Amino acid sequence: MSDTKVTWLTQDAYDRLKHELDEMIENRPVIAARINDSREEGDLKENGGYHAAREEQGQAEARIRHLQELLRSAKVGEKPANDGTAGPGKVLTVRYEGDDEDEKFLLATREEGAEGDLDVYSPESPLGKALLGAKEGESREYELPNGKLQKVTLVKAVPYTDAK
């Protein structure tokens, strides 16, 4: 991950991810013991428990590396201001041109919104980039995957913690 990107996290999200990382690191010996116990059962080619434990270990180590990198590059900040401007950590209500329904989502990283019921859109996504800095009532355009432009209006922007 030489192309390190900064991830903005609330203190709550940082604490939750740090707790998950600590638990995963503490759990390493348990997985290693399961692998050892399964290895002692005999033929490894036909030992499903061994292969399952190795798979679990691989997934756990990948998640540990991901969390370590994320937390190392994270900027922990105050919750965003309730100023009606679209930005990371805000719940945005938008209306697409030609649509009668509003859509509500969290503009943040997946890790930031992992605990919520809202869909999460990255500030790096085409929609996220288009809306960054928009004020309530302002319309912006962004390019869809098919190359067409989509107009979207920011109806409301509130900090995530206020919108729960």
Side-chain angles (χ1 to χ4, degrees), residues 1-8 69-70 73-74 124 129:
M1 290 192 189
S2 57
D3 185 23
T4 306
K5 289 201 179 262
V6 172
T7 302
W8 294 91
E69 182 63 28
L70 180 77
S73 65
E124 297 296 313
K129 284 181 183 175

Side-chain angles (χ1 to χ4, degrees), residues 16-90:
R16 180 174 38 80
L17 294 170
K18 178 75 170 102
H19 179 71
E20 179 186 348
L21 175 62
D22 292 344
E23 281 185 346
M24 292 188 83
I25 289 172
E26 285 175 24
N27 198 34
R28 276 177 166 162
V30 174
I31 296 172
R34 249 194 314 247
I35 290 171
N36 232 8
D37 293 345
S38 297
R39 186 180 292 133
E40 291 173 4
E41 290 174 8
D43 187 5
L44 295 181
K45 288 181 187 167
E46 297 177 15
N47 189 331
Y50 172 78
H51 293 290
R54 292 287 301 185
E55 176 72 19
E56 181 184 359
Q57 182 185 41
Q59 290 173 352
E61 290 301 318
R63 180 68 178 159
I64 287 170
R65 283 190 304 276
H66 173 75
L67 288 172
Q68 286 173 329
E69 182 63 28
L70 180 77
L71 294 173
R72 185 175 14 262
S73 65
K75 296 285 185 211
V76 181
E78 300 297 311
K79 77 176 186 178
N82 194 357
D83 58 3
T85 303
K90 300 263 185 102

Side-chain angles (χ1 to χ4, degrees), residues 141-154:
E141 284 186 342
Y142 67 100
E143 190 173 333
L144 297 171
N146 65 9
K148 294 184 178 176
L149 290 179
Q150 173 69 52
K151 190 172 183 179
V152 62
T153 301
L154 180 63

